[in-house]
Structures are given as structure tokens and as C-alpha cells.
Amino acid sequence: MSMNRRTALSALLGLGAAGTTGAASLLGAAPAVGRPARRPVLSRSAPTQDFAIGVREYNWSRGSRRIFTKIFYPATGNPGGNPVPNAPLADGVFPVAHWNHGAYGNSDSYASQTHAIASAGFICPAPSISDNTNIGSVYGGEWSKDVSEVITQTLALNDGSGSPFAGHIDTAAGVGVSGHSMGGMTVHGLLTNWPDDRIRAAVPVACVDMGNPAGLDANVLFIHGDRDPTCQYSLARQAYQELSAPKAFLTHVGADHAAYLNPGFPTFDQTQNTLVDWFRWSLYGDTAARDRLPGGATAPGTNWEAVLD
């Protein structure tokens, strides 16, 4: 993220200062709420290999809100390289793990994350939110509702007549949601004020506390830099404390709002390791991925905290 873009994003979120530094903290640290009985995870093996990546485009909407979406997915062919438009899907049935951009972003803004998710064996819808600088729409729930619509439309492709995804989407495993900054706030909104009970795994990155937990049966991983000038680290910590287990928090020590999402940053690998293994464990039931989490998160410059039982 360039300095100008980071400055613009900081100023943009500053328009919602009552939400990021005032009103949200006035909520206080609510006690962790109980969650419903755990849904069984289907007993099947997670992929052990990386996939080539395909991409398809969909012009969806929710009322008057346009939700152009690219879906990245496991494709036939050799792993590596850029996503291939309309490539045939790889053999298999894959869970949905969504990614949402932040301010000024679109479906392609976080290629390192969307491509890693898809190549690991997930259907990864990545929408372009139409009002991508409107912090009021995030606090008003419009972005969270947009994501729920994208999830609905994506799952429906499994049964769509003539859909290339027909029979390839695991509609029983629950879904994963993740995103950065305003996208991370959107993810936390789906766990609080605008809950979606299809969510089994959530990864809010550089978020703030959007409200009291709704008690969803979801495994939640927070990722944040503790020197974030845009989304206060303390508010993400508050959101973490309010949730019941399973949950985890990956702190990039000394990092700002987004550097750890960029290849080449010293702790970038720890971001990718935990993001992918969190989804592998939560959506495939891959206990080896769960057991890898502490090692995959640990490096000079990170702190890992988790309650997984």
C-alpha cells in the first residue's frame, strides 16, 4: 500500500472516528457469549497439493447495490502462474472461503490472499463493493449484507443449471469469510450486528470492534499490526476478548495497517500460513492444519495467541 493510499485510508476511517475511537470503545468489553452446539465437520481429507487457479466473473447485485464478483477457484493444470479465465475446475468438492477488500479496493487488490486461498483448495469469491470508500456503509451493515448475498449467490452455483461449479461446491461445510480494513470490519460485522449463521470460519484482518458477538458457531482468527495508525489495535483486541473459543490472534509486532499482507515483508509468510491453515482446519476438519498453526505463525516479529478447545 503506497503512502498516499495509506494516508487516504487513514483519513477516510477518521471520518468514522466515533466508531473507531469513541463509540466502539463505549460498548465496553462484553463477556464472551455462549455459542450453539458445534456443527460436525465432514470427515474428508483436505487437499495435499496446490492447484492451478481459475477465475470467473459475475455481475451480481443486492437491490440497487451492484456486487461485481470474481471467483477464484482450484483449476486443472499446473500450479503457479496467474489465474486462467474460465479454466475448467479441478476434480473435487471445495468449501467456500471468501475474501473482502478494504477502502479503494476491488476484486484484484489482494491477489496474494485470494490466490493463496484458491490454490489451497477453496472456492474464493472476491467482490468489488460498489461504494468502496463509504465507511458509513460499513457501519450501517451494507457491506456485511453484500457479503451475505455473495455467499448466497456463490453457493447457488453448485446447483445452477449449466453452472461450471455444479457439484464442485461443498455446501454442507459452512463457509469462511475474511477481509482487510473496511473488509475486516465487514467480517466482524457478520459475527455481530449482521450475523450470518452459515459462517464456520472468519478471519478479520486489521478490523475494529463492530459490536457484541451474536454467538455464531465460528472459529475466528484476528490478524493485526500493533502499530496500526488506521484501525486501533486495542479495538481488535477488545473484539477478540469478547468472543468465545475457538479463537486466535496473530500480532505483527511493530507493523502498520497492511505491510504484513505484502510479499517480501518479514512476517508475510506467517500471515499466509495462518490464513490458509485456519480455513483448512475449520472447513475441511484438517487437524494437521490446526496443529501447524503455532509453528506457522511464529517468527521474530510475531506474537501468537490461541484458545482452540
Side-chain angles (χ1 to χ4, degrees), residues 13-304:
L13 293 182
L15 293 176
T20 56
T21 61
S25 59
L26 291 175
L27 292 172
V33 299
R35 65 170 72 233
R38 299 291 286 165
R39 289 174 291 190
V41 177
L42 298 183
S43 178
R44 60 188 183 85
S45 298
T48 57
Q49 80 283 2
D50 288 336
F51 292 91
I53 307 168
V55 60
R56 290 180 178 269
E57 299 181 358
Y58 293 88
N59 289 298
W60 292 329
S61 62
R62 181 177 65 84
S64 62
R65 294 178 62 83
R66 293 182 59 253
I67 320 174
F68 172 79
T69 300
K70 288 189 176 182
I71 298 181
F72 301 91
Y73 57 87
T76 60
N78 295 321
N82 294 323
V84 177
N86 304 320
L89 269 89
D91 290 338
V93 179
F94 308 104
V96 171
H98 163 282
W99 178 271
N100 212 83
H101 64 74
Y104 298 97
N106 58 42
S107 301
D108 295 315
S109 297
Y110 295 81
S112 295
Q113 285 69 52
T114 56
H115 296 181
I117 292 169
S119 68
F122 298 91
I123 307 292
C124 181
S128 294
I129 302 296
S130 56
D131 54 348
N132 69 355
T133 62
N134 190 347
I135 188 68
S137 284
V138 177
Y139 280 114
E142 297 303 325
W143 283 38
S144 294
K145 294 172 187 176
D146 287 347
V147 170
S148 282
E149 180 63 25
V150 168
I151 291 170
T152 295
Q153 296 282 1
T154 301
L155 293 174
L157 293 172
N158 191 60
D159 299 317
S161 176
S163 167
F165 292 95
H168 286 283
I169 300 177
D170 187 341
T171 60
V175 301
V177 290
S178 53
H180 172 248
S181 192
M182 285 166 64
M185 294 162 65
T186 296
V187 169
H188 195 246
L190 287 163
L191 305 173
T192 55
N193 288 324
W194 305 279
D196 189 324
D197 63 9
R198 297 171 295 186
I199 294 172
R200 183 64 184 260
V203 186
V205 182
C207 75
V208 300
D209 193 334
M210 295 291 287
N212 292 332
L216 298 187
D217 175 22
N219 303 339
V220 187
L221 164 66
F222 291 82
I223 303 176
H224 213 114
D226 67 357
R227 294 294 181 266
D228 189 332
T230 305
C231 292
Q232 284 189 7
Y233 177 72
S234 62
L235 292 181
R237 293 294 307 176
Q238 174 177 298
Y240 173 75
Q241 295 296 336
E242 291 168 353
L243 286 169
S244 56
K247 62 182 180 178
F249 203 112
L250 173 63
T251 299
H252 293 270
V253 179
D256 63 9
H257 188 57
Y260 50 84
L261 292 169
N262 297 317
F265 189 76
T267 54
F268 168 77
D269 287 347
Q270 283 63 47
T271 299
Q272 299 293 78
N273 293 342
T274 54
L275 174 68
V276 171
D277 275 342
W278 196 261
F279 284 146
R280 287 174 63 94
W281 168 49
S282 302
L283 301 177
Y284 277 107
D286 184 350
T287 56
R290 178 200 62 199
D291 296 343
R292 282 195 303 268
L293 284 165
T298 301
T302 64
N303 285 332
W304 173 252

